[in-house]
Amino acid sequence: MIGRFDSLRPGEGILHLSRVAGRTAIVRAAATSPLKLLMPRRPGPAAWIYTSTYGGGLVAGDDIGLRIRLGSQTICVIGTQSTTKVYKSSHNRVCRQTLAATVDDGALLVVAPDPVSCFDGANYEQRQRIELHRGGALVVVDWLTSGRRCRGEQWKMSRYASRLEVAVDGTPVLTDAWRLSPEDGPLESPFRMGRFHCAAALAIIGSPLAEAASRELADSARIPFAPDAPLIEAASPIPHGIVVRLLGETPELVGRRLIERLSFLASRLGESPWSRKW
């Protein structure tokens, strides 16, 4: 493992993965405070990497960035140590997270974090851009909760913005953006987030996952829609894959459905994402 810090700004990290002796190896890893990279060694073909930050969350002005390169035939799971807590912003300063990833032919990237939880007054931006080479595959989850419900903080952030962009061989196949701000009306209004306390988007993209994506799309279509259901799910086809969107009255409901949707990954990873956490 080679790590160089002199070219990184504060809060930036890089990861390079290659196929070595029949399994995925992390051949370059570096990060600067407040970003931390945890890389436990697990059985199976995949490299598992968890991101964390000193202080246990993000504060105003934090600018976290991670660049990942997956070499051919590698498998990588990116998760978080726990829920990404975003603390109240002072003077409405923004805190940001960015992920830029390149997935080479035959490689699989799984981005399966715990949800983002914005506290009262938090101002948060997130941007993820992932480039797949033809033959590469991607599973990415983007989700957030309403905040600290036990303290009465439900959708009390000052702003949440998230943008996910995926391209295959240079052609954009998915752009998914969220913007939640009370400037557009009360977030807890029944016409906005209402009774729901968790929202998620799941994308499954790439020819190696085409069969699994088709199966999940068909399975989601069989679920009857009920406006008053505690969990609402909708799946849509996109070029080279699918995107699934979920709204739940609790994070646990959404989390369990995500685990069901991603159970097909166990045969590829050796175990399912979050299997050692929930």
Side-chain angles (χ1 to χ4, degrees):
M1 187 184 309
I2 302 171
R4 292 190 57 183
F5 297 85
D6 52 355
S7 61
L8 300 179
R9 60 170 174 76
E12 188 176 26
I14 55 172
L15 286 165
H16 290 180
L17 299 99
S18 294
R19 185 85 170 171
V20 178
R23 61 172 295 157
T24 301
I26 301 169
V27 296
R28 187 180 185 197
T32 57
S33 180
L35 175 64
K36 292 191 295 181
L37 300 176
L38 310 175
M39 295 167 280
R41 188 172 178 82
R42 290 187 178 184
W48 294 71
I49 298 154
Y50 295 92
T51 63
S52 182
T53 54
Y54 290 96
L58 301 176
V59 298
D62 278 350
D63 190 356
I64 306 298
L66 180 60
R67 290 177 283 139
I68 308 173
R69 178 79 190 225
L70 271 70
S72 178
Q73 305 299 321
T74 57
I75 304 174
C76 178
V77 182
I78 299 291
T80 51
Q81 191 175 25
S82 64
T83 297
T84 299
K85 295 174 281 294
V86 184
Y87 297 109
K88 182 175 183 177
S89 170
S90 58
H91 307 292
N92 207 29
R93 294 177 65 195
V94 178
C95 61
R96 296 184 175 87
Q97 286 203 111
T98 59
L99 169 67
T102 302
V103 181
D104 285 348
D105 181 51
L108 167 62
L109 174 62
V110 178
V111 182
D114 288 18
V116 172
S117 179
C118 291
F119 292 4
D120 187 2
N123 190 345
Y124 176 74
E125 288 182 4
Q126 173 180 285
R127 182 159 188 163
Q128 301 179 88
R129 179 169 178 79
I130 301 167
E131 297 270 356
L132 299 183
H133 290 183
R134 190 167 296 274
L138 169 70
V139 173
V140 56
V141 176
D142 183 14
W143 58 322
L144 78 155
T145 72
S146 60
R148 294 184 293 185
R149 292 178 63 190
C150 62
R151 296 174 62 93
E153 296 180 4
Q154 301 170 24
W155 304 116
K156 294 298 184 183
M157 70 279 285
S158 66
R159 191 172 73 101
Y160 171 90
S162 175
R163 185 178 181 89
L164 168 64
E165 300 174 351
V166 182
V168 176
D169 274 346
T171 302
V173 298
L174 173 65
T175 299
D176 194 67
W178 295 75
R179 183 182 185 277
L180 295 173
S181 170
E183 292 178 354
D184 303 316
L187 292 174
E188 67 276 16
S189 162
F191 303 103
R192 301 197 72 190
M193 302 310 293
R195 60 190 170 90
F196 297 108
H197 292 280
C198 187
L202 160 67
I204 302 172
I205 300 173
S207 56
L209 301 180
E211 182 178 343
S214 297
R215 187 170 56 247
E216 297 304 323
L217 181 65
D219 186 66
S220 179
R222 284 193 289 269
I223 299 174
F225 175 76
D228 58 348
L231 178 69
I232 293 178
E233 173 180 350
S236 306
I238 61 173
H240 304 283
I242 65 168
V243 60
V244 183
R245 295 182 175 85
L246 303 107
L247 280 172
E249 291 185 352
T250 68
E252 291 77 14
L253 279 172
V254 175
R256 284 196 290 270
R257 181 57 57 85
L258 288 171
I259 289 172
E260 292 174 12
R261 289 279 168 251
L262 298 185
S263 60
F264 71 90
L265 287 173
S267 61
R268 295 173 181 269
L269 305 178
E271 55 189 301
S272 299
W274 307 300
S275 62
R276 301 193 183 193
K277 301 180 79 172
W278 304 339

